[in-house]
Amino acid sequence: MSKVVYEGWMVRYGRRKIGRSFIHMRYFVLETRLLAYYKRKPQDNQVPIKTLLIDGNCRVEDRGLKTHHGHMVYVLSVYNKKEKYHRITMAAFNIQEALIWKEKIESIIEHQESQIANGNKYVSFEYKSGMDNGRTASSSDHESQFSAQEDEDDAHPNLLRRTTIGNGLPDSVLDWTREFDSELSNQNANNQAFSRKHWRLLQCQNGLRIFEELLEVDYLPRSCSRAMKAVGVVEATCEEIFGLVMSMDGTRFEWDCSFQYGSLVEEVDGHTAILYHRLQLDWFPMIVWPRDLCYVRYWRRNDDGSYVVLFRSREHENCGPQPGYVRAHVESGGFNISPLKSRNEKPRTQVQHLMQIDLKGWGVGYISSFQQHCLLQMLNSVAGLREWFAQTDERGAPPRIPVMVNMASSSVSSKKTQKIDDLSVQSASSLDQITASRNSVMIDEYSDEDEEQMPDAEHEAYATKSDNDVKRTALEEEPIEKIDLSCFSGNLRRDDRDNSRDCWRISDGNNFRVRSKHFCYDKTKIPAGKHLMDLVAVDWFKDTKRIDHVARRQGCAAQVASEKGLFSLVFNFQVPGSTHYSMVFYFVTRELVPGSLLHRFVDGDDEFRNSRLKLIPSVPKGSWIVRQSVGSTPCLLGKAVDCNYIRGPKYLEVDIDIGSSTVANGVLGLVIGVITTLVVDMAFLVQANTTDELPERLIGAVRVSHIELSSAIVPKLDADPF
């Protein structure tokens, strides 16, 4: 009989065929190769309701927070990537319990996968909890790659399969679906947004350090101030602080002095919500109209145990301007909640609260004291959090999942209150009512059907090297002679000037750091240097459907290169939406060195390619929230999004479906709205894992500047032979 790794009561979450969700209490049992659940604690040889075989092909999806009749649950979905529709969806009422299950399941998957890679089909397993040895339970997401402090497989093997899956959003609000992806912003030590060179200490107030952004912004209205952030330390766990930050109930009055009222406008998915928020500002309230906000909020738990909550204003058809209120605009904002080492056996957490807001109104741009006073009042909520935890004894209780409730401020007329109540998706209810009704909901014993949703198909493989592989250094892949680039062209023009717009240029390889020759021993990185291939053209396409296999287009750079006996590597970034866009990069070389890492990537199978293709992003110019989201952490593309590889006679095309990932799609929703203000660098390379593959070399790098959506053209594609 298999050894039981973990067991206990969890919530069974699903969706019926008619579209309504359901939750039941079920007893889950995790064995070394099997996940099963029962209606009651199993005895003797009781048959489970449903089982799922756990092997190296399994994945754990983080569905985030879901609402069911007032209950907020943290949802996980376990499935086999080869049988996507065979899955078990489970949930918990507190985040910590869900993360324990997630960690244990992922540990078994990794163990089985590594053993199979070594040729052992059936293996025993002994679970060692990462929480017991001091490592914070990791969250979803991986895609990264973006969120990991290091992109290395060997250093963080558990980061590779994590994906946050959302329900998606209608095309009408596609630009703002999951606008703020916290996974991309967990690197508060390395991320540009929190780098000291971009901030100066403005003042110390209430035990907080108040910083002001140094960068000048030329695309914001005069009334929108620079970004400011407050940094403080709170003696509480990240989960406890996250619960308070996410709540919009009566508890918020106890720590946020700028909060007057909050309600949910729309729940987009488990990580995204659109909220209505009234501010309680005390700057001459008799003559200054009160402000309110409608904004999209995205949250994420990072693999280091930290949480990031990001938000930005947006319009919503069910949340129009309210009588008696001026609609303020949040350009960027959020919380970064990061764990610190405990002191005197007390948990410690660093909380960063950033705001960049335009309070609107006719006099705001001319009365700087009003803007700064109100902004400091909002940032002081960090001090409120610190004092709230310092003065409460309710520390032994598990962190509660925040419940969104409609609230009526006593200072607001009943007419206005009713108007706002109509905006909320959820019915008004108190926490006591929810708690009292929980048991009655849980005794429902009906359908156990799974949610019918398409999962993120994500690959994870560890390629093994055969004994007869030819050992090559990266320097042997150096092209011998230059290629005449005059015969290649794309519809997006090349312009090497610094201030040019709607164009591309080759980015200097020394702007990117890659693994050194001795990386396996000392983890050092070096400037990438010269590229292995030449970037010869960039195309910017649009169509009513997704554009696949662009290398088949007559006259494209890949076809021209093939006619000249050259080899091409084509990267096709597919951007979803009501109008589908594709940005295509064509890299060309004379020939591939047999046995080289690049050659093995081109001729390898999809699992090997997914485990090695790496992207290093960077945003030299852009708003704070974009730099915060994108960061500069390397990403294994095949494990972050779906990649389709098309091997032609003299080319390899990689179709990168950004829409397959909620994480990437969320960042895209942010970037696409301000794409004309951005300068983005991207470097492509094949990850080197062994000493004979090191040092890493870039396939190529590109900089795209201030791209205009209107410059995209509709391509004429031949019939796809594949």
Side-chain angles (χ1 to χ4, degrees):
M1 182 176 179
S2 298
K3 178 182 177 181
V4 175
V5 177
Y6 198 64
E7 60 182 337
W9 289 98
M10 289 281 283
V11 178
R12 170 76 177 87
Y13 179 90
R15 191 171 299 276
R16 307 185 195 278
K17 292 182 179 180
I18 60 175
R20 298 184 62 182
S21 61
F22 65 88
I23 54 177
H24 315 299
M25 289 300 295
R26 295 289 183 261
Y27 195 90
F28 283 76
V29 177
L30 177 64
E31 300 177 357
T32 54
R33 289 183 56 82
L34 194 71
L35 175 65
Y37 64 85
Y38 306 78
K39 284 190 176 182
R40 301 171 185 84
K41 187 174 181 178
Q43 297 178 354
D44 300 326
N45 294 323
Q46 184 176 344
V47 178
I49 297 175
K50 190 172 183 179
T51 61
L52 179 68
L53 181 67
I54 303 296
D55 58 22
N57 292 316
C58 287
R59 297 292 181 265
V60 183
E61 294 177 358
D62 176 357
R63 295 288 183 87
L65 300 175
K66 299 289 185 179
T67 306
H68 177 81
H69 296 310
H71 302 273
M72 292 291 284
V73 292
Y74 194 101
V75 181
L76 303 175
S77 182
V78 187
Y79 74 102
N80 189 302
K81 68 178 184 179
K82 294 185 177 180
E83 299 178 21
K84 300 177 185 177
Y85 294 102
H86 182 50
R87 61 174 60 220
I88 291 180
T89 306
M90 57 198 299
F93 286 107
N94 69 79
I95 294 177
Q96 200 65 27
E97 180 66 17
L99 295 178
I100 292 174
W101 275 94
K102 180 172 171 51
E103 183 192 33
K104 292 179 182 294
I105 297 172
E106 285 183 335
S107 297
I108 293 179
I109 295 172
E110 291 159 11
H111 185 76
Q112 296 292 343
E113 187 175 37
S114 62
Q115 292 296 328
I116 292 174
N118 293 331
N120 300 326
K121 187 172 182 181
Y122 296 101
V123 295
S124 61
F125 173 80
E126 181 177 355
Y127 175 77
K128 296 181 180 180
S129 173
M131 292 183 176
D132 295 338
N133 60 24
R135 179 176 64 81
T136 306
S138 54
S139 90
S140 64
D141 290 280
H142 175 95
E143 288 167 13
S144 115
Q145 292 113 212
F146 294 122
S147 72
Q149 294 209 3
E150 181 55 60
D151 61 294
E152 322 313 357
D153 300 5
D154 49 355
H156 301 283
N158 62 329
L159 305 185
L160 301 177
R161 68 175 51 80
R162 297 181 184 146
T163 310
T164 296
I165 302 299
N167 294 333
L169 201 64
D171 290 342
S172 60
V173 287
L174 181 64
D175 289 344
W176 303 102
T177 49
R178 305 160 190 86
E179 179 156 352
F180 307 105
D181 178 11
S182 61
E183 172 186 38
L184 311 181
S185 51
N186 68 333
Q187 302 303 312
N188 57 346
N190 299 324
N191 192 294
Q192 295 181 22
F194 293 100
S195 176
R196 291 181 180 178
K197 67 181 181 180
H198 295 304
W199 299 91
R200 73 177 181 92
L201 182 63
L202 189 64
Q203 60 178 284
C204 292
Q205 178 177 308
N206 293 336
L208 307 177
R209 291 182 299 154
I210 309 295
F211 292 84
E212 183 182 51
E213 190 178 31
L214 289 177
L215 295 180
E216 293 289 342
V217 288
D218 54 3
Y219 54 90
L220 295 175
R222 179 177 178 180
S223 57
C224 189
S225 63
R226 294 181 184 180
M228 294 177 64
K229 69 173 180 178
V231 182
V233 176
V234 180
E235 289 188 349
T237 64
C238 292
E239 284 75 15
E240 291 172 322
I241 298 172
F242 171 73
L244 281 184
V245 167
M246 294 288 284
S247 66
M248 301 286 277
D249 58 10
T251 310
R252 197 176 186 100
F253 289 110
E254 301 178 25
W255 61 271
D256 187 356
C257 61
S258 66
F259 177 78
Q260 184 190 71
Y261 172 87
S263 64
L264 179 67
V265 177
E266 179 181 349
E267 185 180 48
V268 180
D269 60 37
H271 286 259
T272 310
I274 299 170
L275 306 176
Y276 176 78
H277 189 152
R278 286 180 184 168
L279 299 175
Q280 182 72 48
L281 304 177
D282 58 4
W283 196 88
F284 292 103
M286 298 300 294
I287 61 174
V288 177
W289 280 33
R291 264 58 177 176
D292 64 358
L293 299 166
C294 180
Y295 59 92
V296 59
R297 180 187 67 188
Y298 192 98
W299 72 271
R300 189 174 189 84
R301 185 184 190 276
N302 298 322
D303 292 277
D304 62 353
S306 65
Y307 290 83
V308 179
V309 184
L310 299 174
F311 35 81
R312 183 177 181 177
S313 286
R314 61 150 296 171
E315 296 180 356
H316 194 279
E317 60 183 358
N318 293 332
C319 188
Q322 300 300 306
Y325 286 84
V326 176
R327 180 61 54 88
H329 178 84
V330 177
E331 178 64 24
S332 58
F335 289 84
N336 193 334
I337 307 167
S338 306
L340 299 174
K341 291 183 179 179
S342 59
R343 183 177 295 173
N344 298 327
E345 298 183 352
K346 293 183 178 180
R348 298 169 65 245
T349 300
Q350 183 191 72
V351 180
Q352 301 187 43
H353 182 21
L354 183 141
M355 286 295 294
Q356 185 173 23
I357 188 171
D358 181 1
L359 290 174
K360 300 294 185 180
W362 62 271
V364 173
Y366 304 94
I367 309 175
S368 58
S369 60
F370 171 69
Q371 185 88 9
Q372 187 171 23
H373 176 87
C374 296
L375 193 52
L376 289 174
Q377 183 181 345
M378 288 185 277
L379 295 179
N380 267 324
S381 62
V382 178
L385 284 169
R386 182 191 63 219
E387 295 304 313
W388 191 92
F389 283 103
Q391 300 173 29
T392 182
D393 294 326
E394 300 175 359
R395 305 303 296 275
R400 69 174 176 86
I401 296 289
V403 178
M404 187 74 66
V405 295
N406 286 335
M407 300 178 59
S409 173
S410 59
S411 63
V412 184
S413 67
S414 59
K415 180 178 180 180
K416 292 180 182 177
T417 300
Q418 181 62 39
K419 185 177 182 64
I420 298 303
D421 287 345
D422 293 340
L423 299 177
S424 177
V425 174
Q426 294 176 227
S427 60
S429 59
S430 67
L431 294 178
D432 293 337
Q433 290 173 330
I434 292 173
T435 303
S437 64
R438 175 172 295 176
N439 292 335
S440 63
V441 176
M442 289 302 105
I443 61 174
D444 185 7
E445 298 286 356
Y446 295 122
S447 169
D448 282 300
E449 60 191 335
D450 282 324
E451 239 182 304
E452 296 180 0
Q453 293 186 6
M454 285 293 291
D456 229 15
E458 188 175 281
H459 294 289
E460 168 103 20
Y462 294 95
T464 57
K465 188 173 182 179
S466 60
D467 295 334
N468 59 355
D469 277 344
V470 181
K471 292 187 177 182
R472 300 276 184 173
T473 64
L475 295 177
E476 291 181 271
E477 300 180 38
E478 188 79 38
I480 300 175
E481 53 183 306
K482 292 187 176 181
I483 299 172
D484 180 15
L485 307 182
S486 61
C487 57
F488 300 99
S489 64
N491 74 292
L492 190 66
R493 66 186 179 88
R494 175 175 178 174
D495 193 329
D496 292 333
R497 293 175 297 177
D498 290 336
N499 296 324
S500 54
R501 302 181 64 85
D502 199 24
C503 62
W504 66 273
R505 60 184 287 191
I506 295 175
S507 185
D508 186 357
N510 289 323
N511 294 334
F512 306 91
R513 298 183 65 82
V514 297
R515 298 177 176 183
S516 68
K517 180 66 177 176
H518 305 290
F519 178 83
C520 293
Y521 307 103
D522 54 18
K523 303 297 181 183
T524 58
K525 291 192 173 185
I526 58 175
K530 192 174 181 180
H531 308 164
L532 294 175
M533 303 181 72
D534 293 310
L535 178 60
V536 297
V538 177
D539 279 326
W540 182 220
F541 294 142
K542 66 180 178 180
D543 205 341
T544 56
K545 60 182 182 301
R546 193 178 70 185
I547 307 171
D548 297 324
H549 194 189
V550 293
R552 73 181 188 268
R553 185 175 65 90
Q554 289 296 324
C556 73
Q559 295 288 343
V560 173
S562 180
E563 293 171 359
K564 295 183 175 295
L566 306 176
F567 183 83
S568 302
L569 192 53
V570 182
F571 295 101
N572 175 18
F573 280 88
Q574 300 169 325
V575 182
S578 55
T579 299
H580 292 258
Y581 292 89
S582 277
M583 182 162 283
V584 189
F585 305 101
Y586 302 90
F587 294 92
V588 171
T589 188
R590 290 194 177 276
E591 62 180 5
L592 300 175
V593 178
S596 66
L597 180 59
L598 182 57
H599 182 266
R600 290 192 288 124
F601 170 80
V602 170
D603 288 339
D605 57 28
D606 287 356
E607 288 189 337
F608 178 78
R609 292 165 176 163
N610 284 335
S611 66
R612 296 299 187 97
L613 179 59
K614 185 188 292 185
L615 170 72
I616 307 177
S618 177
V619 183
K621 183 177 180 181
S623 65
W624 171 85
I625 193 63
V626 174
R627 289 185 280 112
Q628 168 80 346
S629 297
V630 175
S632 58
T633 305
C635 161
L636 290 172
L637 279 175
K639 297 172 181 177
V641 295
D642 287 349
C643 293
N644 183 34
Y645 302 90
I646 304 170
R647 183 68 162 94
K650 295 290 288 185
Y651 66 85
L652 173 66
E653 178 176 332
V654 186
D655 289 344
I656 304 164
D657 183 10
I658 298 178
S660 64
S661 162
T662 297
V663 173
N665 208 17
V667 178
L668 177 64
L670 169 63
V671 170
I672 204 71
V674 293
I675 191 171
T676 57
T677 68
L678 301 181
V679 175
V680 180
D681 284 347
M682 290 179 285
F684 303 89
L685 66 155
V686 181
Q687 179 168 284
N689 290 340
T690 60
T691 54
D692 60 313
E693 295 173 345
L694 294 168
E696 287 181 333
R697 297 291 305 281
L698 296 184
I699 296 172
V702 61
R703 169 172 290 187
V704 291
S705 302
H706 307 290
I707 299 300
E708 299 284 349
L709 295 177
S710 59
S711 65
I713 65 171
V714 179
K716 295 181 179 179
L717 299 176
D718 299 331
D720 192 346
F722 294 91

